Amino acid sequence: MIRVALDVMGGDAAPETPLDGARAALEEWPEDIALVLVGPEDAVAPHLVDLPAERVSWLPAAERIDATEAPAHAVRRKPDSSIVRGLEAVRDGEVEAFVSAGSTGAIMVASMLTLGVLPGVDRPPAAAVFPTATGRVLVLDVGANIQVRPHQLHQFARLGSIYLRDVLRGRDPRVGLLNVGEEEEKGGDISIAAYGLLAEDDELEFVGNIEGHQIIAGACDVLVCGGFVGNVLLKFYESISGFILTVLRDSGMPEGRDLDEVLRFLDYTEYGGAPLLGVNGVTFICHGSSPARAIKNAIRSAADAVACHAVNDMRTGLQSITLEEVEG
Amino acid sequence: MIRVALDVMGGDAAPETPLDGARAALEEWPEDIALVLVGPEDAVAPHLVDLPAERVSWLPAAERIDATEAPAHAVRRKPDSSIVRGLEAVRDGEVEAFVSAGSTGAIMVASMLTLGVLPGVDRPPAAAVFPTATGRVLVLDVGANIQVRPHQLHQFARLGSIYLRDVLRGRDPRVGLLNVGEEEEKGGDISIAAYGLLAEDDELEFVGNIEGHQIIAGACDVLVCGGFVGNVLLKFYESISGFILTVLRDSGMPEGRDLDEVLRFLDYTEYGGAPLLGVNGVTFICHGSSPARAIKNAIRSAADAVACHAVNDMRTGLQSITLEEVEG
């Protein structure tokens, strides 16, 4: 049984949506998932009655960190928040993973403070799965690090490759660097330096720069980028497939084979959340607007990451990275 | 008659595709468009016979700048290139606009050197029209400036607002700042400082930060961002709508109302090219992979920008911008 701590207070529709996600996960995977619901008594206790007692418990946390609060400040000021309590439970071995639709920044800061980062990692990236024409690509960072340096992009490539192999069962992942042109000298100083580090690393299958239109074509399996562009791209992608579906429905497309079915592969809630890679424990971040299905699938993805020993493999896989520029 | 210089040597399929685009433009708009074809004799001369002599002429240019060449170096070393010759024709008043599917960097550098920038502009942004749920949004920069500073984003907002009003006939354009969160303090130093400049400018209708998923919803009419993220987003958008169309066709969607027709509004070739705003003349940049339809429509867009006196309006509209940080 893999124990996952779920932040009941995370997300725009908390606690209802996280609780709905919890219920769905417990129902769908009765064999191997147990949940620890993290939140205040009034939010959690009324629901414990309906849930299977042997697989669900409650971890009290009286405070909630809002998306509008400055992350570092909020984490320090609210030690009894659901985010901090949930991550402490991972650190102390009471659970194996933490899932939250709360503030990305606060989860990031609290994960670094509570779990710590693996040797060779400056700051953990968040990684998201994008569906493509040929399967999927793991994009990182999608928002945990706004400004990145070349050696961090190199770390992202290592972390992403290991995660893809371990958890998503991808063989020999091809790594691409998101850029504005194919040529090695494109994209400014950071991109050029990152290109050099990636090209020199024998443990990576580096396929070079990837432009915006090559992502969906499936030109690589792991795409590294800064958190700003990654975050914009992720949210844009999720919105556009929904938008095109609406346009098609509104246009009175004939209902032959169902549109939803054909375009299901574009549904981001399939993977549910973005793992924070490079911390010493399994943490999944969901959008604040995640529906219950996304929460449910993030719980599944987190349990899979635990079952694959992804954190240990990342620890090993990072050992050979040059650390010349590593910062606190 | 508006005279547009077309770079016959620009793009992956030059000279054929630019020439096809020229032919289509001459046919579709016999009233107001004349073309000057810029390129070497062997590429242009054989085609002059078939084209209406009173509306087509040839401007010799023996050299071609490739996308792989370092822009500044290439522009200096190839004074007889189609890009330099075409822009000189704009500068000298022989034509009113220049259209090219050649190297973005080279067009940018040559435009700055040949035409010069308007007072109050550091470096010109390239602007692209994205179709949205409610119409369209003008996104800038889409690749001319990889690293931007806050006051440049402010300049982009002014330039984009004027272009939208003049050429795209948009009223009271709402300006958004592309970011990773809605709150004013999101996105790092550059975003925060740009937010402040945009919010303080009474001549702009600033609606705040816009996240990736709000673009397609039509949350603003002018979206300012750095050239890196803008370029990735543009290419990604163009690829994803084509991809979804392919998926739907392959899935055997019933052919009721035609898919192409329903999704035509997503076709980027409708606008054809990206104007380079803030230079002292009309310049349009097309993708290297542009089909003839995109070239044709870029010629139309360039002629429209001339007819609207967009450059003069931008010159006027920039006068009140604070110039404290303007660099060469």
Side-chain angles (χ1 to χ4, degrees), chain B residues 224-248:
Chain B
V224 297
C225 59
F228 192 100
V229 63
N231 183 272
V232 167
L233 211 49
L234 173 66
K235 291 174 178 166
F236 187 73
Y237 191 8
E238 291 170 359
S239 73
I240 193 174
S241 52
F243 167 59
I244 291 178
L245 257 175
T246 306
V247 168
L248 290 172

Side-chain angles (χ1 to χ4, degrees), chain A residues 153-171:
Chain A
L153 292 166
H154 185 202
Q155 295 167 3
F156 297 176
R158 283 284 190 101
L159 291 167
S161 295
I162 297 166
Y163 186 83
L164 195 91
R165 269 198 302 262
D166 274 15
V167 183
L168 303 176
R169 312 285 162 88
R171 285 199 205 162

Side-chain angles (χ1 to χ4, degrees), chain A residues 238-321:
Chain A
E238 291 171 359
S239 73
I240 194 175
S241 52
F243 168 58
I244 291 179
L245 256 174
T246 306
V247 169
L248 289 172
R249 283 212 197 85
D250 291 353
S251 78
M253 286 293 294
E255 307 267 338
R257 192 166 155 207
D258 189 51
L259 266 182
D260 289 333
E261 190 192 323
V262 173
L263 295 179
R264 177 169 301 153
F265 78 101
L266 287 173
D267 184 357
Y268 80 95
T269 65
E270 187 68 27
Y271 292 93
L276 196 61
L277 302 184
V279 289
N280 192 16
V282 174
T283 302
F284 268 72
I285 305 172
C286 305
H287 289 311
S289 59
S290 292
R293 181 166 190 270
I295 305 279
K296 180 196 79 173
N297 286 327
I299 292 170
R300 176 75 263 165
S301 299
D304 290 346
V306 172
C308 296
H309 309 288
V311 173
N312 271 336
D313 290 340
M314 284 186 227
R315 193 193 318 274
T316 312
L318 285 163
Q319 278 171 358
S320 58
I321 278 201

Side-chain angles (χ1 to χ4, degrees), chain A residues 67-68 130 132-133 146 178-180 183 185-188 191 211-213 215-216 227-229 231-233 235-237 239-241 243-244 247-248 251 253-254 256-257 259 262-263 265-266, chain B residues 67-68 130 132-133 146 178-180 183 185-188 191 211-213 215-216 227-229 231-233 235-237 239-241 243-244 247-248 251 253-254 256-257 259 262-263 265-266:
Chain A
T68 51
F130 285 32
T132 69
I146 297 308
L178 185 62
N179 209 332
V180 297
E183 301 82 7
E185 67 279 1
K186 288 281 164 120
S191 301
E211 295 182 77
H213 59 278
I215 302 170
I216 291 299
F228 193 99
V229 63
N231 183 271
V232 167
L233 211 49
K235 290 173 177 166
F236 186 72
Y237 191 7
S239 73
I240 194 175
S241 52
F243 168 58
I244 291 179
V247 169
L248 289 172
S251 78
M253 286 293 294
R257 192 166 155 207
L259 266 182
V262 173
L263 295 179
F265 78 101
L266 287 173
Chain B
T68 51
F130 285 32
T132 69
I146 296 307
L178 185 62
N179 208 331
V180 297
E183 300 82 8
E185 66 280 0
K186 288 281 164 124
S191 301
E211 295 180 77
H213 59 278
I215 302 170
I216 290 299
F228 192 100
V229 63
N231 183 272
V232 167
L233 211 49
K235 291 174 178 166
F236 187 73
Y237 191 8
S239 73
I240 193 174
S241 52
F243 167 59
I244 291 178
V247 168
L248 290 172
S251 77
M253 286 294 293
R257 192 165 154 208
L259 267 182
V262 173
L263 295 180
F265 78 101
L266 287 172

Side-chain angles (χ1 to χ4, degrees), chain A residues 74-145:
Chain A
V75 167
R76 272 193 305 270
R77 269 200 42 227
K78 296 184 171 173
D80 197 25
S81 61
S82 51
I83 290 173
V84 173
R85 289 288 182 226
L87 287 162
E88 285 174 347
V90 177
R91 178 197 63 195
D92 300 340
E94 294 162 23
V95 296
E96 281 81 40
F98 176 64
V99 172
S100 174
S103 154
T104 300
I107 297 167
M108 161 93 170
V109 169
S111 294
M112 288 179 75
L113 290 174
T114 309
L115 304 177
V117 294
L118 299 175
V121 176
D122 286 32
R123 288 166 58 88
V129 172
F130 285 32
T132 69
T134 56
R136 41 103 194 84
V137 56
L138 187 73
V139 180
L140 69 174
D141 177 28
V142 292
N145 303 279

